[in-house]
Every structure is written in C-alpha cells, then in structure tokens.
Amino acid sequence: MVRTPLTPWERQRGERFGALLRQARGDRSMVEVAAAAGVSAETLRKIETGRAPTPAFFTVTALAAALEVSLDALAAACVQDSDCGDQTLSA
C-alpha cells in the first residue's frame, strides 16, 4: 500500500505538534520523556522536529500521559487555525 503524500498543512500541523511537545517537555530530557512514554528517543526526536508529522495514536497518547498533557489540549492546540506558539498547555 502506497501512502498518500502529506499536504503542506499536514506538515505544518506536525511541526506545531512537535513544538507543543518540546514546550511541554520543558527541562526534562528527551530520553527521560521517551522512556516514560515507552517510545525511543529517536521517535520522540522525529516527532518534535516534524520529521514524523503523523505519529500513531497510541504514541501520541503515551507521550501525552508522560508529559501530563490532556489529549484535548493537544488537539485544540493543533487545529488548522491555531497558532501553537501562543498556546499554553495544562494537564
């Protein structure tokens, strides 16, 4: 099965999502957060840098739990018209 190429908006959404995760991670190391979520540090790095703009649902939920951020907050911050740079995340 061939995957449909991502649209520019989907790529931007992935970059916004990665920025949100970096913000939520704060001073915690990437390795620490990745281990708490049960994913590799490389997976988290790819998500945070936008190189993996469409992570799997269970990866997103594991990261949200590890970062103590609600899925609702992540979803609301990454809708098409939002500017994630001005969003504040809370548990």
Side-chain angles (χ1 to χ4, degrees):
M1 180 173 162
V2 176
R3 184 173 183 167
T4 305
L6 297 175
T7 66
W9 177 78
E10 290 169 324
R11 290 192 183 282
Q12 290 172 351
R13 182 183 58 194
E15 290 170 2
R16 287 193 308 265
F17 180 67
L20 285 168
L21 292 181
R22 278 192 308 278
Q23 176 189 358
R25 185 165 54 85
D27 293 336
R28 294 168 60 184
S29 77
M30 189 175 289
V31 172
E32 176 187 351
V33 171
V39 300
S40 71
E42 182 60 21
T43 295
L44 180 54
R45 181 177 292 106
K46 286 179 181 178
I47 294 169
E48 284 190 359
T49 60
R51 288 188 356 234
T54 58
F57 175 75
F58 293 107
T59 300
V60 173
T61 60
L63 289 168
L67 294 168
E68 298 179 351
V69 175
S70 77
L71 290 174
D72 289 338
L74 288 174
C78 284
V79 295
Q80 184 171 3
D81 294 330
S82 86
D83 178 2
C84 289
D86 294 335
Q87 297 291 326
T88 301
L89 297 179
S90 61

Coordinates of all heavy atoms in Angstrom, one line a residue:
M1 N 0.8 -1.2 0.0 CA 0.0 0.0 0.0 C 0.9 1.2 0.0 O 1.8 1.4 0.8 CB -0.9 0.0 1.3 CG -1.8 1.1 1.4 SD -2.9 0.9 2.8 CE -3.5 2.5 3.0
V2 N 0.6 2.2 -0.9 CA 1.4 3.4 -1.0 C 0.7 4.5 -0.2 O -0.5 4.7 -0.3 CB 1.5 3.8 -2.5 CG1 2.2 5.1 -2.6 CG2 2.2 2.7 -3.3
R3 N 1.4 5.2 0.6 CA 0.9 6.2 1.4 C 0.8 7.5 0.6 O 1.7 7.9 -0.1 CB 1.8 6.5 2.6 CG 1.3 7.5 3.6 CD 2.1 7.5 4.8 NE 1.5 8.5 5.7 CZ 1.9 8.6 6.9 NH1 2.8 7.9 7.4 NH2 1.3 9.5 7.7
T4 N -0.4 8.2 0.7 CA -0.6 9.5 0.1 C 0.4 10.5 0.6 O 0.5 10.6 1.8 CB -2.0 9.9 0.3 OG1 -2.9 8.9 -0.2 CG2 -2.3 11.2 -0.5
P5 N 1.0 11.3 -0.2 CA 1.9 12.3 0.3 C 1.1 13.3 1.2 O 0.0 13.6 1.0 CB 2.4 13.0 -1.0 CG 2.2 12.1 -2.1 CD 1.0 11.3 -1.7
L6 N 1.8 13.8 2.2 CA 1.2 14.8 3.1 C 1.1 16.1 2.4 O 1.9 16.6 1.6 CB 2.1 14.9 4.4 CG 2.2 13.7 5.2 CD1 3.2 14.0 6.4 CD2 0.9 13.2 5.7
T7 N 0.0 16.8 2.8 CA -0.2 18.2 2.3 C 0.7 19.2 3.1 O 1.2 18.8 4.2 CB -1.6 18.6 2.4 OG1 -2.0 18.7 3.8 CG2 -2.6 17.6 1.7
P8 N 0.9 20.3 2.6 CA 1.7 21.3 3.3 C 1.1 21.6 4.7 O 1.8 21.8 5.7 CB 1.7 22.6 2.4 CG 1.6 22.0 1.0 CD 0.7 20.8 1.2
W9 N -0.3 21.7 4.7 CA -0.9 21.9 6.0 C -0.7 20.8 7.0 O -0.4 21.0 8.2 CB -2.5 22.1 5.8 CG -3.2 22.2 7.1 CD1 -3.2 23.3 7.9 CD2 -3.8 21.2 7.9 NE1 -3.9 23.1 9.0 CE2 -4.3 21.8 9.0 CE3 -4.1 19.9 7.6 CZ2 -5.0 21.1 10.0 CZ3 -4.8 19.2 8.6 CH2 -5.3 19.8 9.7
E10 N -0.7 19.5 6.5 CA -0.4 18.4 7.4 C 1.0 18.4 7.9 O 1.3 18.1 9.1 CB -0.7 17.1 6.7 CG -2.1 16.8 6.4 CD -2.4 15.6 5.5 OE1 -1.6 15.4 4.5 OE2 -3.4 14.9 5.7
R11 N 1.9 18.9 7.1 CA 3.3 19.0 7.6 C 3.4 20.1 8.6 O 4.1 20.0 9.6 CB 4.3 19.3 6.4 CG 4.4 18.1 5.5 CD 5.6 18.4 4.5 NE 5.7 17.3 3.6 CZ 6.2 16.1 3.8 NH1 6.7 15.9 5.0 NH2 6.3 15.1 2.9
Q12 N 2.8 21.2 8.4 CA 2.8 22.3 9.3 C 2.1 21.9 10.7 O 2.6 22.3 11.7 CB 2.0 23.6 8.8 CG 2.8 24.2 7.7 CD 2.0 25.3 7.0 OE1 0.8 25.5 7.2 NE2 2.6 26.1 6.1
R13 N 1.1 21.1 10.6 CA 0.4 20.6 11.8 C 1.4 19.8 12.6 O 1.5 19.8 13.8 CB -0.9 19.9 11.4 CG -1.6 19.4 12.6 CD -2.8 18.6 12.2 NE -2.4 17.4 11.4 CZ -3.2 16.7 10.7 NH1 -4.5 16.9 10.6 NH2 -2.7 15.7 10.0
G14 N 2.1 18.9 11.9 CA 3.1 18.1 12.5 C 4.2 18.9 13.2 O 4.7 18.6 14.3
E15 N 4.6 20.0 12.6 CA 5.7 20.8 13.2 C 5.1 21.5 14.4 O 5.8 21.7 15.4 CB 6.1 21.9 12.1 CG 7.0 21.3 11.0 CD 7.2 22.2 9.9 OE1 6.8 23.4 9.9 OE2 7.9 21.8 8.9
R16 N 3.8 22.0 14.3 CA 3.2 22.6 15.5 C 3.1 21.6 16.6 O 3.4 21.9 17.8 CB 1.8 23.1 15.2 CG 1.8 24.4 14.3 CD 0.5 25.1 14.2 NE -0.6 24.2 13.9 CZ -1.1 24.1 12.6 NH1 -0.5 24.7 11.6 NH2 -2.1 23.3 12.4
F17 N 2.7 20.4 16.3 CA 2.6 19.3 17.3 C 3.9 19.1 18.0 O 4.0 19.0 19.2 CB 2.0 18.1 16.7 CG 1.9 16.9 17.7 CD1 0.9 17.0 18.7 CD2 2.6 15.8 17.7 CE1 0.8 16.0 19.7 CE2 2.5 14.8 18.6 CZ 1.6 14.9 19.6
G18 N 5.0 19.0 17.2 CA 6.3 18.8 17.7 C 6.7 19.9 18.7 O 7.3 19.7 19.7
A19 N 6.4 21.2 18.3 CA 6.7 22.3 19.1 C 6.0 22.3 20.4 O 6.5 22.6 21.5 CB 6.4 23.6 18.4
L20 N 4.7 21.8 20.4 CA 4.0 21.7 21.6 C 4.6 20.6 22.6 O 4.7 20.9 23.8 CB 2.5 21.2 21.3 CG 1.6 22.3 20.7 CD1 0.4 21.6 20.2 CD2 1.3 23.3 21.8
L21 N 5.1 19.5 22.0 CA 5.7 18.5 22.8 C 7.0 19.0 23.4 O 7.3 18.8 24.6 CB 6.0 17.3 22.0 CG 4.8 16.5 21.6 CD1 5.2 15.2 20.8 CD2 3.9 16.1 22.7
R22 N 7.8 19.8 22.7 CA 9.0 20.4 23.2 C 8.7 21.3 24.3 O 9.4 21.3 25.4 CB 9.8 21.1 22.1 CG 10.6 20.2 21.2 CD 11.6 21.0 20.4 NE 11.0 22.0 19.6 CZ 10.4 21.9 18.4 NH1 10.3 20.7 17.9 NH2 9.9 22.9 17.8
Q23 N 7.7 22.1 24.1 CA 7.3 23.1 25.2 C 6.8 22.3 26.4 O 7.2 22.7 27.5 CB 6.1 23.9 24.7 CG 5.5 24.9 25.7 CD 4.3 25.6 25.2 OE1 3.8 25.4 24.1 NE2 3.7 26.4 26.1
A24 N 6.0 21.3 26.3 CA 5.5 20.5 27.4 C 6.6 19.8 28.1 O 6.6 19.6 29.3 CB 4.4 19.6 27.0
R25 N 7.6 19.4 27.4 CA 8.8 18.6 27.9 C 9.6 19.5 28.8 O 10.1 19.1 29.8 CB 9.6 18.1 26.8 CG 10.8 17.2 27.3 CD 11.4 16.4 26.2 NE 11.8 17.1 25.0 CZ 13.0 17.7 24.9 NH1 13.9 17.6 25.8 NH2 13.3 18.3 23.7
G26 N 9.7 20.8 28.5 CA 10.4 21.8 29.3 C 11.8 21.4 29.5 O 12.5 21.1 28.6
D27 N 12.3 21.3 30.8 CA 13.7 21.0 31.1 C 14.0 19.5 31.1 O 15.1 19.1 31.3 CB 14.1 21.6 32.4 CG 14.1 23.1 32.4 OD1 14.3 23.7 31.3 OD2 13.9 23.8 33.4
R28 N 12.9 18.7 31.0 CA 13.1 17.2 31.1 C 13.9 16.8 29.8 O 13.6 17.3 28.7 CB 11.8 16.5 31.2 CG 11.1 16.8 32.5 CD 9.7 16.3 32.5 NE 9.5 14.9 32.3 CZ 8.4 14.3 32.2 NH1 7.2 15.0 32.3 NH2 8.3 13.0 32.0
S29 N 14.7 15.8 30.0 CA 15.5 15.3 28.8 C 14.6 14.5 27.9 O 13.6 13.9 28.3 CB 16.6 14.4 29.2 OG 16.2 13.2 29.6
M30 N 15.0 14.5 26.6 CA 14.2 13.7 25.6 C 14.2 12.3 26.0 O 13.2 11.6 25.8 CB 14.9 14.0 24.3 CG 14.1 13.4 23.1 SD 14.8 13.9 21.5 CE 14.4 15.6 21.5
V31 N 15.4 11.8 26.5 CA 15.5 10.4 26.8 C 14.5 10.0 28.0 O 13.9 9.0 28.0 CB 17.0 10.0 27.2 CG1 17.1 8.6 27.8 CG2 17.9 10.2 26.0
E32 N 14.5 10.9 29.0 CA 13.6 10.7 30.1 C 12.1 10.6 29.7 O 11.4 9.7 30.1 CB 13.8 11.8 31.1 CG 12.8 11.8 32.3 CD 12.9 13.0 33.2 OE1 13.8 13.8 33.0 OE2 12.1 13.1 34.1
V33 N 11.7 11.5 28.9 CA 10.3 11.6 28.4 C 10.0 10.4 27.5 O 9.0 9.7 27.7 CB 10.0 12.9 27.7 CG1 8.6 12.9 27.1 CG2 10.0 14.0 28.7
A34 N 10.9 10.1 26.6 CA 10.7 8.9 25.7 C 10.6 7.6 26.5 O 9.7 6.8 26.3 CB 11.8 8.8 24.7
A35 N 11.4 7.4 27.5 CA 11.4 6.2 28.3 C 10.1 6.2 29.1 O 9.4 5.1 29.2 CB 12.6 6.2 29.3
A36 N 9.6 7.3 29.6 CA 8.4 7.3 30.4 C 7.2 7.0 29.5 O 6.2 6.4 29.9 CB 8.1 8.7 31.0
A37 N 7.3 7.3 28.2 CA 6.2 7.1 27.2 C 6.3 5.7 26.6 O 5.4 5.2 25.9 CB 6.2 8.1 26.2
G38 N 7.5 5.1 26.8 CA 7.7 3.7 26.1 C 8.0 3.8 24.6 O 7.7 2.9 23.9
V39 N 8.6 4.9 24.2 CA 9.0 5.1 22.8 C 10.5 5.4 22.8 O 11.1 5.7 23.9 CB 8.2 6.2 22.1 CG1 6.7 6.0 22.1 CG2 8.5 7.6 22.7
S40 N 11.1 5.3 21.7 CA 12.5 5.5 21.6 C 12.8 7.0 21.6 O 11.9 7.8 21.2 CB 13.1 4.9 20.3 OG 12.7 5.6 19.2
A41 N 13.9 7.4 22.0 CA 14.3 8.8 22.0 C 14.3 9.3 20.5 O 14.0 10.5 20.2 CB 15.7 9.1 22.6
E42 N 14.7 8.5 19.6 CA 14.7 8.8 18.2 C 13.3 9.1 17.7 O 13.1 10.0 16.9 CB 15.4 7.8 17.3 CG 15.5 8.1 15.8 CD 16.3 9.4 15.6 OE1 17.1 9.8 16.4 OE2 16.1 9.9 14.5
T43 N 12.3 8.3 18.1 CA 11.0 8.6 17.7 C 10.5 9.9 18.2 O 9.9 10.7 17.5 CB 10.0 7.4 18.3 OG1 10.4 6.2 17.6 CG2 8.6 7.7 18.0
L44 N 10.8 10.2 19.5 CA 10.4 11.5 20.0 C 11.1 12.6 19.3 O 10.5 13.7 19.0 CB 10.7 11.6 21.5 CG 10.4 12.9 22.2 CD1 8.9 13.3 22.0 CD2 10.7 12.7 23.7
R45 N 12.4 12.4 19.0 CA 13.1 13.4 18.3 C 12.5 13.7 16.9 O 12.3 14.9 16.5 CB 14.6 13.0 18.1 CG 15.5 14.0 17.3 CD 16.9 13.5 17.3 NE 17.6 13.5 18.6 CZ 17.8 12.4 19.3 NH1 17.6 11.2 18.8 NH2 18.4 12.5 20.5
K46 N 12.1 12.7 16.2 CA 11.5 12.8 14.9 C 10.1 13.6 15.0 O 9.8 14.4 14.2 CB 11.3 11.5 14.2 CG 12.6 10.9 13.7 CD 12.3 9.5 13.1 CE 13.6 8.9 12.5 NZ 13.3 7.6 12.0
I47 N 9.4 13.2 16.0 CA 8.1 13.9 16.2 C 8.3 15.4 16.5 O 7.7 16.3 16.0 CB 7.3 13.2 17.3 CG1 6.9 11.8 16.8 CG2 6.0 14.0 17.6 CD1 6.3 10.9 17.9
E48 N 9.2 15.7 17.5 CA 9.5 17.0 17.9 C 10.0 17.9 16.8 O 9.8 19.1 16.7 CB 10.4 17.1 19.1 CG 9.8 16.7 20.4 CD 10.7 17.0 21.6 OE1 11.8 17.4 21.4 OE2 10.3 16.7 22.7
T49 N 10.8 17.3 15.9 CA 11.3 18.1 14.8 C 10.4 18.2 13.5 O 10.8 18.8 12.6 CB 12.7 17.6 14.3 OG1 12.6 16.2 13.9 CG2 13.7 17.7 15.5
G50 N 9.3 17.5 13.6 CA 8.4 17.5 12.4 C 8.7 16.5 11.4 O 8.1 16.4 10.3
R51 N 9.8 15.7 11.6 CA 10.2 14.6 10.6 C 9.2 13.5 10.6 O 9.2 12.7 9.7 CB 11.6 14.2 10.8 CG 12.6 15.2 10.4 CD 14.0 14.7 10.5 NE 14.2 13.4 11.0 CZ 15.1 13.1 11.9 NH1 15.7 14.0 12.6 NH2 15.2 11.8 12.3
A52 N 8.4 13.3 11.7 CA 7.4 12.3 11.8 C 6.1 13.1 12.1 O 5.6 13.1 13.3 CB 7.7 11.3 12.8
P53 N 5.5 13.7 11.1 CA 4.3 14.6 11.3 C 3.0 13.9 11.7 O 2.1 14.6 12.1 CB 4.2 15.4 10.1 CG 4.8 14.6 9.0 CD 5.9 13.7 9.7
T54 N 2.9 12.6 11.5 CA 1.7 11.9 11.8 C 1.9 10.7 12.6 O 1.8 9.6 12.2 CB 1.0 11.5 10.5 OG1 1.9 10.7 9.7 CG2 0.6 12.7 9.6
P55 N 2.3 10.9 13.9 CA 2.6 9.8 14.8 C 1.3 9.0 15.1 O 0.2 9.5 15.0 CB 3.1 10.4 16.1 CG 2.6 11.8 16.0 CD 2.5 12.2 14.6
A56 N 1.5 7.7 15.4 CA 0.4 6.8 15.7 C -0.4 7.3 16.9 O 0.2 7.9 17.8 CB 0.9 5.4 15.9
F57 N -1.6 7.0 17.0 CA -2.5 7.5 18.1 C -1.9 7.0 19.4 O -1.9 7.8 20.4 CB -3.9 6.9 17.9 CG -4.8 7.2 19.1 CD1 -5.3 8.5 19.3 CD2 -5.1 6.2 20.0 CE1 -6.1 8.7 20.4 CE2 -5.9 6.4 21.0 CZ -6.4 7.7 21.2
F58 N -1.5 5.8 19.5 CA -1.0 5.2 20.8 C 0.3 5.9 21.2 O 0.6 6.0 22.4 CB -0.9 3.7 20.8 CG -2.3 3.1 20.7 CD1 -2.7 2.5 19.5 CD2 -3.2 3.1 21.7 CE1 -4.0 2.0 19.4 CE2 -4.4 2.6 21.6 CZ -4.9 2.0 20.5
T59 N 1.1 6.3 20.2 CA 2.3 7.1 20.6 C 1.9 8.4 21.1 O 2.5 8.9 22.1 CB 3.2 7.2 19.3 OG1 3.5 5.9 18.8 CG2 4.4 8.0 19.6
V60 N 1.0 9.1 20.5 CA 0.5 10.4 21.0 C -0.1 10.3 22.4 O 0.3 11.1 23.3 CB -0.5 11.0 20.0 CG1 -1.1 12.3 20.6 CG2 0.1 11.3 18.7
T61 N -0.9 9.2 22.6 CA -1.5 9.1 24.0 C -0.4 8.8 25.0 O -0.5 9.3 26.1 CB -2.6 8.0 24.0 OG1 -2.0 6.8 23.6 CG2 -3.7 8.4 23.1
A62 N 0.6 8.0 24.7 CA 1.7 7.7 25.6 C 2.5 8.9 25.9 O 2.9 9.2 27.1 CB 2.6 6.6 25.0
L63 N 2.8 9.7 24.9 CA 3.5 11.0 25.2 C 2.7 12.0 26.0 O 3.2 12.6 26.9 CB 3.9 11.6 23.8 CG 5.0 10.9 23.1 CD1 5.2 11.4 21.7 CD2 6.4 11.0 23.9
A64 N 1.4 12.1 25.7 CA 0.5 13.0 26.5 C 0.5 12.6 27.9 O 0.6 13.4 28.8 CB -0.9 13.0 25.9
A65 N 0.4 11.3 28.2 CA 0.4 10.8 29.6 C 1.8 11.1 30.3 O 1.8 11.5 31.4 CB 0.1 9.3 29.6
A66 N 2.9 10.8 29.6 CA 4.2 11.0 30.1 C 4.4 12.5 30.4 O 5.1 12.9 31.4 CB 5.3 10.5 29.2
L67 N 3.9 13.4 29.6 CA 4.0 14.8 29.8 C 2.9 15.5 30.6 O 3.0 16.7 30.9 CB 4.1 15.5 28.4 CG 5.3 15.1 27.5 CD1 5.1 15.6 26.1 CD2 6.6 15.7 28.2
E68 N 2.0 14.6 31.0 CA 0.8 15.1 31.8 C 0.1 16.2 31.1 O -0.3 17.2 31.7 CB 1.3 15.5 33.2 CG 1.9 14.3 34.0 CD 2.3 14.7 35.4 OE1 2.4 15.9 35.7 OE2 2.7 13.8 36.1
V69 N -0.2 16.0 29.8 CA -0.9 17.0 29.0 C -2.1 16.2 28.5 O -2.0 15.1 28.0 CB -0.1 17.5 27.8 CG1 -0.9 18.3 26.9 CG2 1.1 18.2 28.3
S70 N -3.3 16.8 28.5 CA -4.5 16.1 28.1 C -4.5 16.1 26.5 O -4.0 17.0 25.8 CB -5.8 16.8 28.5 OG -6.0 18.0 27.8
L71 N -5.1 15.0 26.0 CA -5.3 14.9 24.6 C -6.1 16.0 24.0 O -5.9 16.5 22.9 CB -5.9 13.5 24.2 CG -5.0 12.3 24.4 CD1 -5.7 11.0 24.2 CD2 -3.8 12.4 23.5
D72 N -7.1 16.5 24.8 CA -8.0 17.6 24.4 C -7.1 18.8 24.2 O -7.3 19.6 23.2 CB -9.1 17.8 25.4 CG -10.1 16.8 25.4 OD1 -10.3 16.0 24.4 OD2 -10.8 16.6 26.4
A73 N -6.2 19.1 25.1 CA -5.3 20.3 25.0 C -4.5 20.2 23.7 O -4.3 21.2 23.0 CB -4.5 20.5 26.2
L74 N -3.9 19.0 23.5 CA -3.1 18.8 22.3 C -3.9 19.0 21.0 O -3.5 19.7 20.1 CB -2.4 17.5 22.3 CG -1.3 17.2 23.3 CD1 -0.8 15.8 23.3 CD2 -0.1 18.2 23.0
A75 N -5.1 18.4 21.0 CA -5.9 18.5 19.8 C -6.3 20.0 19.5 O -6.3 20.4 18.4 CB -7.1 17.6 19.9
A76 N -6.7 20.6 20.6 CA -7.2 22.0 20.4 C -6.1 22.9 20.0 O -6.3 23.8 19.2 CB -7.8 22.5 21.8
A77 N -4.9 22.7 20.4 CA -3.7 23.5 20.1 C -3.3 23.2 18.6 O -2.6 24.1 18.1 CB -2.6 23.3 21.0
C78 N -3.6 22.1 18.0 CA -3.1 21.8 16.7 C -4.2 21.8 15.6 O -4.0 21.3 14.6 CB -2.5 20.4 16.7 SG -0.8 20.5 17.5
V79 N -5.3 22.5 15.9 CA -6.3 22.6 14.8 C -5.8 23.6 13.8 O -4.9 24.4 14.0 CB -7.7 23.1 15.4 CG1 -8.3 22.1 16.3 CG2 -7.6 24.4 16.0
Q80 N -6.4 23.5 12.6 CA -5.8 24.3 11.5 C -5.6 25.7 11.7 O -4.6 26.3 11.3 CB -6.8 24.1 10.3 CG -6.2 24.7 9.0 CD -7.0 24.3 7.8 OE1 -8.0 23.6 7.9 NE2 -6.6 24.8 6.6
D81 N -6.5 26.4 12.4 CA -6.4 27.9 12.5 C -5.7 28.3 13.7 O -5.6 29.5 14.0 CB -7.9 28.5 12.6 CG -8.6 28.3 11.2 OD1 -7.9 28.2 10.2 OD2 -9.8 28.1 11.3
S82 N -5.1 27.4 14.5 CA -4.5 27.9 15.8 C -3.0 28.2 15.5 O -2.4 27.7 14.6 CB -4.6 26.8 16.9 OG -3.6 25.8 16.7
D83 N -2.5 29.0 16.3 CA -1.1 29.3 16.3 C -0.5 28.7 17.6 O -0.6 29.3 18.7 CB -0.9 30.9 16.3 CG 0.6 31.2 16.4 OD1 1.5 30.3 16.4 OD2 0.9 32.4 16.4
C84 N 0.2 27.6 17.5 CA 0.6 26.8 18.6 C 1.7 27.6 19.4 O 1.9 27.3 20.6 CB 1.2 25.5 18.2 SG -0.1 24.4 17.7
G85 N 2.3 28.6 18.9 CA 3.3 29.3 19.6 C 2.7 30.1 20.8 O 3.4 30.4 21.7
D86 N 1.4 30.4 20.7 CA 0.8 31.2 21.7 C 0.0 30.3 22.7 O -0.7 30.8 23.6 CB -0.1 32.3 21.1 CG 0.7 33.3 20.3 OD1 1.9 33.5 20.6 OD2 0.1 33.9 19.4
Q87 N 0.0 29.0 22.5 CA -0.8 28.1 23.3 C -0.1 27.8 24.6 O 1.1 27.6 24.6 CB -1.1 26.8 22.6 CG -1.9 27.1 21.3 CD -3.4 27.5 21.6 OE1 -3.9 27.1 22.6 NE2 -3.9 28.3 20.8
T88 N -0.8 27.7 25.7 CA -0.3 27.2 27.0 C -0.9 25.9 27.2 O -2.1 25.7 27.1 CB -0.7 28.2 28.1 OG1 -0.1 29.5 27.8 CG2 -0.1 27.7 29.4
L89 N -0.1 24.9 27.6 CA -0.6 23.6 27.8 C -0.8 23.4 29.3 O 0.0 23.8 30.1 CB 0.4 22.5 27.3 CG 0.6 22.6 25.8 CD1 1.7 21.5 25.4 CD2 -0.7 22.3 25.0
S90 N -1.8 22.6 29.7 CA -2.0 22.3 31.1 C -2.5 20.9 31.1 O -3.1 20.4 30.2 CB -3.0 23.2 31.7 OG -4.2 23.2 31.1
A91 N -2.3 20.2 32.3 CA -2.8 18.8 32.4 C -4.3 18.8 32.6 O -4.9 19.7 33.0 CB -2.1 18.2 33.6

